[in-house]
Amino acid sequence: MPKAQETVLEIDLNALKHNFEHLKSRLNNNTKFMAVVKAFAYGSDACEIANYLQTLAVDYFAVAFVHEGVQLRKAGITKPILVLHPQAANFKILIDNCLEPNLYNAKILSEFIAIASAEKLHEYPVHIKFNTGLNRLGFSENDVDFIAEKLKETNAIIVKSIFSHLAASEDLNEKEFTINQIEKFKSIAKKVTQSLDYKPLLHICNTSGTLNYPEAHFDMVRSGIGLYGFGNSEKENKNFKPIGSLKTIISQIHTINKGESIGYNRAYKTDKLLKSATLPIGHADGIGRQYGKGKGYVIINNQKAYILGNVCMDMIMVDITNIICKEGDEVIVFGPNSTAENLAKTAHTISYELITAISQRVKRTFVGN
Ligand SMILES: *Cc1c(COP(=O)(O)O)cnc(C)c1O
């Protein structure tokens, strides 16, 4: 690997391929795979990632918002794209880009049928989401008759899939709750399907659902975090390779005397002689202030260097008192060996938050393949 000369997020496409193949190996041959590439493919690069995955056997893509789907179409993605959380204000753009909406309540279903009819669409693919316990988005079981009636009245739309989302698929203490969600989903899906003369795809599993509930794969699984290299448990993490390495360099080294302070608000005061390194990465790059004051760390020459004082907008200062290094040396913020998941834990958060926070200011580079 070339050494970093500035702050970069290096994305390993071989690792992505490995993760995809591992997830596929956990599925039956005929189970479809939806790659979730919302939020810049979890902070990496949605267009590059989707284009690469499109060359593998991915069946579907999912994004959160319409404009994320538009970006994928502009980048040459031709596979179907589910928009998980569309807003009615963007329906025209959604249709113009052949994106497929998740319709999750009576209001958005009626609004979409209205525009689809006005545009004289015929059997435009949509997806119906049910709430089975997450209490976030989705119709309730009581809405099934209403949905069936709405669908009978129109041929402007066709239901490509019926789906739900698990609340605690990574938490085996909540197994009973999860199984209950799955059972509820089965019963809802059966009722909806009975009212149609065709068979929509059924899906409920995210990455952890896919790994922990093989009996609930139905026709398709939706995976995000697994593709990016995290299995959400110590055991499963071993099967995945984090695709992103966030690297930077040492801009400057200071010797700090006893009694001096480091950074804004003098948040770190030293009672001994120490050596600090200033790095060109800060909260505007995605390293939040919660990592400051000794919680977060980076890796320099295979050793942990903890963050001293407050995280600045464009810089952090780290403790290199016991590390042999020099200005210009490479620094690993996270990567396959010092993972984003472990760094996230120091700030009481999860890998998802840390990796999706890496801002667009950070240059993305690609290795592998
Ligand atoms: C984000 C999301 C996923 C992907 O979840 P992972 O845990 O990253 O696999 C799947 N389904 C829905 C509805 C989501 O919002």
Side-chain angles (χ1 to χ4, degrees):
M1 291 309 161
K3 292 271 182 207
Q5 303 191 344
E6 60 182 318
T7 301
V8 293
L9 181 66
E10 188 182 274
I11 297 155
D12 182 351
L13 295 174
N14 287 337
L16 178 65
K17 183 162 190 258
H18 167 90
N19 298 331
F20 173 70
E21 283 172 356
H22 178 73
L23 286 160
K24 284 289 278 186
S25 78
R26 305 283 286 261
L27 308 180
N28 287 329
N29 280 338
N30 47 7
T31 307
K32 293 185 191 303
F33 189 97
M34 176 182 273
V36 181
V37 294
K38 62 192 179 191
F40 302 102
Y42 289 40
S44 57
D45 183 317
C47 296
E48 292 281 342
I49 295 290
N51 262 309
Y52 183 65
L53 288 172
Q54 195 166 242
T55 67
L56 309 176
V58 162
D59 300 287
Y60 245 99
F61 288 102
V63 293
F65 302 124
V66 169
H67 286 96
E68 296 180 304
V70 172
Q71 287 310 111
L72 293 184
R73 287 288 183 242
K74 281 192 182 142
I77 299 303
T78 54
K79 295 254 162 120
I81 301 172
L82 163 60
V83 181
L84 292 164
H85 197 173
Q87 272 84 56
N90 302 319
F91 276 164
K92 181 77 172 68
I93 301 167
L94 175 142
I95 292 165
D96 289 345
N97 286 275
C98 297
L99 306 172
E100 304 179 5
N102 164 23
L103 304 177
Y104 53 85
N105 66 4
K107 182 171 187 287
I108 201 153
L109 175 64
S110 305
E111 285 169 337
F112 193 77
I113 290 175
I115 189 166
S117 307
E119 297 278 319
K120 302 204 164 34
L121 301 180
H122 182 67
E123 299 189 347
Y124 192 90
V126 305
H127 304 255
I128 308 277
K129 186 175 200 180
F130 285 90
N131 172 26
T132 53
L134 179 60
N135 289 327
R136 194 173 69 173
L137 280 187
F139 283 102
S140 87
E141 188 161 13
N142 303 330
D143 298 319
V144 169
D145 292 339
F146 165 81
I147 297 166
E149 254 169 59
K150 289 295 273 186
L151 292 173
K152 266 189 206 117
E153 287 166 7
T154 179
N155 61 10
I157 63 172
I158 188 168
V159 181
K160 276 282 279 288
S161 85
I162 299 167
F163 73 111
S164 186
H165 195 37
L166 297 172
S169 58
E170 73 278 26
D171 183 356
L172 296 178
N173 293 321
E174 294 290 357
K175 199 163 184 170
E176 203 182 312
F177 182 88
T178 303
I179 288 170
N180 190 293
Q181 277 197 279
I182 294 165
E183 289 307 315
K184 201 164 175 181
F185 176 63
K186 274 189 199 162
S187 122
I188 293 169
K190 191 170 164 202
K191 278 191 221 162
V192 181
T193 308
Q194 273 167 357
S195 74
L196 301 171
D197 54 11
Y198 54 91
K199 237 184 130 307
L201 300 171
L202 307 183
H203 48 111
I204 193 169
C205 285
N206 60 348
T207 299
S208 288
T210 304
L211 301 174
N212 295 332
Y213 299 90
E215 70 279 15
H217 289 175
F218 298 100
D219 302 307
M220 180 156 72
V221 298
R222 310 184 298 270
S223 180
I225 200 78
L227 285 173
Y228 309 112
F230 300 93
N232 293 339
S233 78
E234 232 172 86
K235 179 166 157 265
E236 293 294 353
N237 282 342
K238 294 196 177 76
N239 295 316
F240 294 93
K241 296 181 180 172
I243 71 163
S245 296
L246 183 59
K247 299 178 173 181
T248 187
I249 59 166
I250 297 176
S251 295
Q252 191 175 9
I253 290 175
H254 290 283
T255 300
I256 315 285
N257 290 309
K258 184 174 169 175
E260 286 192 274
S261 61
I262 297 173
Y264 285 131
N265 310 107
R266 306 194 64 203
Y268 186 87
K269 287 181 182 150
T270 183
D271 54 7
K272 57 180 196 294
L273 186 77
L274 66 76
K275 240 175 24 165
S276 73
T278 303
L279 317 179
I281 185 168
H283 63 71
D285 302 288
I287 306 302
R289 279 175 57 103
Q290 60 273 31
Y291 291 95
K293 298 186 180 174
K295 293 203 181 68
Y297 54 81
V298 299
I299 304 295
I300 299 173
N301 276 331
N302 295 316
Q303 280 181 273
K304 276 186 186 174
Y306 283 87
I307 299 174
L308 294 164
N310 282 319
V311 172
C312 312
M313 189 184 296
D314 316 307
M315 282 171 258
I316 52 177
M317 283 72 89
V318 298
D319 186 351
I320 54 160
T321 307
N322 299 312
I323 302 176
I324 296 165
C325 57
K326 59 182 191 307
E327 292 170 352
D329 278 2
E330 185 177 75
V331 175
I332 310 292
V333 181
F334 60 71
N337 301 321
S338 182
T339 65
E341 185 168 283
N342 287 340
L343 179 55
K345 278 185 191 145
T346 68
H348 305 290
T349 183
I350 55 174
S351 60
Y352 293 76
E353 186 183 41
L354 177 56
I355 64 177
T356 59
I358 302 310
S359 77
Q360 293 302 300
R361 182 164 82 172
V362 175
K363 181 173 159 184
R364 271 70 173 164
T365 61
F366 297 87
V367 297
N369 189 247

